[in-house]
Amino acid sequence: MHSTFTRTFIFILALFSVTAASAQAPPDTLSGWNISGIGTLNFSQVSLSNWAAGGQNSLSVLSVAGARADYRKGRNTWNNSLDFTYGLVKLEGGRMQKSDDKVELNLKYGYQASEKWYYTAQVNLKTQLTPTYSVTRDTLLSNFFSPAYILTSLGMDYKPNDKLSVFISPLTGKFTIVQNEELADRGSFGVEPADRDIEGNIISGTGENFRREFGGYVNVRYNNEIFKNITLQSKLDLFTNYLRKAKNVDVNWENQVNFKVNEIISASVFLHAIYDDDININVDRNGDGAIDGTGPRLQFKETLGIGISYKFK
């Protein structure tokens, strides 16, 4: 088996083990804090022998781990979360490929203004762990902190109950970091591309690594057991840039439905939709099968997983 897969698989198992081991810590280790988390490891395998209908042998692994640390004392609240998702898939005769990769950190402080409203400051960071390449592996598509999205927000948080939070921020800074110079020179993820010489060739190292936006932001989070042993987690992020095309709204909507079979076995369906008019996608405009342009498009991802899960509180 490819060494890259072996190393990454060991990392996934280690991450899952650390998450599970954390469950053994006493719940009151940090006075006033409510600490919880979950780790899930999903496997999928297809093995064929003399199968007349055809197909390919395949192996895939998907790891999802998340931890929360919530604090409340008097009128002060802290809500912090860290989420990891990493997946690999290998088709017969092909290289190991990454199927999913996400790291998200969210820090939110609130000061109670009334029964259901809180003055709130929030910082959110999203990036990935490892490089992503094209299918032919000759083009780098993304990497660690390439991109990284950072949101810093001040506003009001509406919390009618423990299941729903609606954060409204008229003062939000959105920062896009593209640390990798190759991607920055291409103008990936909305940063300014590199300058070109008189022959049209890219002048290496002249692309911007940082993009600033200022605007309004709405974050909706919902977490509830909608049916027995079926939990819905939904996150909706809306952002508009006051300084450029203010009518355009960036949308990031994540929905995960978790099915609990028993204490260990679980299943989940994850749906993720993104629209950002600053991110251009390769498109076939005339339908002839060849890429002939780029432009903003609705991005959509769906993941189905069945595997082992460990939850702690």
Side-chain angles (χ1 to χ4, degrees), residues 7 13 65 99 107 112 118 135 147 169-170 172 199 220 234 269-270:
R7 290 194 299 269
L13 286 177
S99 60
L107 309 174
Q112 190 170 14
Y118 294 76
V135 175
S169 171
T172 295
E199 296 179 351
V220 181
S234 183
V269 177
F270 179 71

Side-chain angles (χ1 to χ4, degrees), residues 284-298:
D284 175 14
R285 299 187 187 279
N286 55 20
D288 64 354
I291 300 299
D292 53 17
T294 62
R297 289 292 186 273
L298 177 65

Side-chain angles (χ1 to χ4, degrees), residues 139-182:
T139 303
L140 178 68
L141 301 178
S142 59
N143 205 341
F144 178 68
F145 260 67
S146 297
Y149 299 106
I150 300 175
L151 286 172
T152 58
S153 309
L154 292 173
M156 297 290 292
D157 197 9
Y158 175 66
K159 296 181 180 179
N161 50 54
D162 294 336
K163 303 170 185 176
L164 176 66
S165 168
V166 182
F167 176 51
I168 303 170
S169 171
L171 302 173
T172 295
K174 181 180 180 181
F175 308 98
T176 302
I177 300 171
V178 181
Q179 189 178 46
N180 182 274
E181 198 59 52
E182 177 186 347

